[in-house]
Amino acid sequence: MKVAFVFCSAIVAVLASGRNVSISTSSTNKGGVYAPGDLMFEDTFDRFDLSVWQHEITMSGGGNWEFQVYSNTRFNSYTRDGILYLMPTLTNDRWGENFVETGTLSLLGGAPADECTNPAYYGCERSGAGGNIINPAMSARIRTVNSFSFKYGKVEVRAKIPAGDWLWPAIWMLPRHNSYGTWPASGEIDIMESRGNKRLFNLQGVNIGTEQISYTSHYGPYFPYNGYANAHYETQAPPDQGYDTAFHVYAVEWTDTYIRHLLDGVVVGTTTPPPGGFWELGGFPNDVHNPWTGADNPRMAPFDQEFYILLNVAVGGTNGFFPDDVQPPKPWRNDAGNAFAEFWAARNAWHPTWAGENAAMQIDYVRITAV
């Protein structure tokens, strides 16, 4: 069964009758009144409903100079037997041998639904020439920005993360409107982030690949101020039992007083801002303007506005999510002048680890209930 949007008219009827009822603080862009626990959104992926999920179409790299092209193709995003697959592939597999070194890729043509969604960082058109290459991988990033957003609720996503070197799967949330300014002033909630490497160790010997999941809220007055370190949690799977080996339920419980992360129903961490809100929690300098002054809910701002859901699999990047000092070494450095080319030159080492649909993030359902 698939239900995209749910309007709780039963609660309205109860209210009209004068009976006492617990009213939720949750709300959606669809309107309606909810009681705690009411279903507000659900997709069980019996089919790929493109009226619910909008594709991002860009080469911009997500602000992290990631190595993928995001597009709307059934090579990279599709459903089968009630599972959504977000599948990374090689750009050459789509456009032909040597395309990344010699071709030109334009995302500017076609119907509006296939038009480039982010022109930043040369995101709509690139050419391979003079040592520069086109993004060597293709993947998918989908979102509900035009179809569904909500304020306060419990999000549950049953998913299996991909296995494949340098893959970066994420389940997350962004504000529908940047009410307090550009990132991170209006916030970001990462329900799940991971790395696709089966074996990737930091300097402490911890496997930060498929055996680690991170959960983070990003907030701050403007970049580079970001208080995420005070709202960041991690879980570690037993050796050789990474999160790529089975489905897990990744959840966030977002209320008007706290943000709580859960894995398979077990609390991972809770961020409860102090009386001064996320401004106080972040410990930002006194001479920096607080963009959340006068917010609807000053204690929870910027997390007091409607957010929408995103699902994606990125590849690489130079923002440090894949650190330089890992073992085995990664084939590019974050300060490299041409990280794309360094990554692509090492494809014989990393591409064999993308083993068919094991390299796809697989999503069983997305469910959002009122709190």
Side-chain angles (χ1 to χ4, degrees):
M1 174 181 173
K2 176 181 180 297
V3 179
F5 313 112
V6 182
F7 173 77
C8 289
S9 56
I11 297 297
V12 177
V14 171
L15 287 171
S17 72
R19 293 163 50 194
N20 291 328
V21 64
S22 178
I23 301 300
S24 168
T25 57
S26 299
S27 61
T28 78
N29 65 316
K30 301 295 182 181
V33 180
Y34 300 89
D38 281 349
L39 183 66
M40 299 192 296
F41 174 96
E42 185 178 53
D43 197 338
T44 55
F45 299 107
D46 296 336
R47 64 186 181 92
F48 197 4
D49 192 338
L50 297 182
S51 70
V52 175
W53 299 99
Q54 299 87 50
H55 282 79
E56 297 206 35
I57 301 173
T58 183
M59 293 178 275
S60 65
N64 306 307
W65 288 103
E66 300 151 15
F67 304 151
Q68 78 285 331
V69 180
Y70 282 135
S71 66
N72 176 8
T73 77
R74 302 293 74 80
F75 295 103
N76 302 114
S77 56
Y78 56 91
T79 58
R80 190 181 69 246
D81 299 329
I83 300 293
L84 169 68
Y85 293 81
L86 301 182
M87 166 76 85
T89 59
L90 297 183
T91 303
N92 278 357
D93 288 346
R94 171 76 185 279
W95 299 104
E97 187 177 359
N98 300 323
F99 182 80
V100 299
E101 295 97 340
T102 62
T104 295
L105 181 56
S106 174
L107 305 176
L108 293 171
D114 297 318
E115 187 73 19
C116 183
T117 58
N118 186 357
Y121 306 107
Y122 313 99
C124 295
E125 189 167 15
R126 293 185 180 179
S127 296
N132 293 317
I133 68 169
I134 299 169
N135 307 39
M138 299 188 70
S139 192
R141 173 163 145 171
I142 59 174
R143 55 187 180 167
T144 64
V145 62
N146 296 327
S147 58
F148 182 81
S149 55
F150 70 104
K151 181 171 75 172
Y152 308 138
K154 183 176 183 180
V155 182
E156 298 171 283
V157 182
R158 186 172 185 266
K160 184 166 73 169
I161 70 167
D165 287 359
W166 319 119
L167 300 179
W168 180 358
I171 300 167
W172 51 308
M173 297 161 55
L174 282 175
R176 184 185 182 199
H177 307 289
N178 284 332
S179 300
Y180 302 110
T182 55
W183 191 93
S186 295
E188 172 185 327
I189 300 175
D190 296 334
I191 301 171
M192 183 286 298
E193 281 188 294
S194 190
R195 303 172 184 88
N197 304 60
K198 298 281 284 186
R199 299 178 63 79
L200 188 68
F201 298 91
N202 63 16
L203 291 176
Q204 292 71 45
V206 176
N207 189 340
I208 63 171
T210 58
E211 293 179 9
Q212 185 179 92
I213 299 290
S214 60
Y215 318 79
T216 312
S217 297
H218 294 271
Y219 60 96
Y222 52 83
F223 184 79
Y225 292 112
N226 186 346
Y228 77 92
N230 296 318
H232 175 82
Y233 311 95
E234 295 172 353
T235 55
Q236 201 74 27
D240 302 318
Q241 298 179 40
Y243 297 100
D244 61 306
T245 62
F247 280 86
H248 295 274
V249 177
Y250 302 96
V252 65
E253 191 174 273
W254 168 35
T255 78
D256 60 356
T257 57
Y258 64 83
I259 297 173
R260 175 173 293 153
H261 295 273
L262 304 95
L263 173 64
D264 294 329
V266 177
V267 174
V268 171
T270 303
T271 303
T272 305
F278 278 90
W279 183 260
E280 180 181 346
L281 182 66
F284 302 113
N286 292 330
D287 60 350
V288 173
H289 173 69
N290 180 355
W292 309 315
T293 301
D296 294 345
N297 180 354
R299 194 162 182 170
M300 284 300 291
F303 305 105
D304 64 339
Q305 303 294 314
E306 287 185 7
F307 278 60
Y308 62 92
I309 301 293
L310 301 98
L311 310 169
N312 71 278
V313 176
V315 180
T318 61
N319 73 331
F321 187 72
F322 290 98
D324 284 336
D325 54 1
V326 291
Q327 292 295 327
K330 75 181 202 289
W332 78 95
R333 291 193 59 81
N334 293 329
D335 60 358
N338 198 339
F340 279 48
E342 292 183 0
F343 175 71
W344 180 238
R347 60 190 176 278
N348 290 339
W350 52 258
H351 187 241
T353 69
W354 298 13
E357 289 182 340
N358 287 332
M361 181 160 69
Q362 302 177 32
I363 299 100
D364 183 18
Y365 60 75
V366 177
R367 181 178 300 140
I368 305 175
T369 52
V371 295

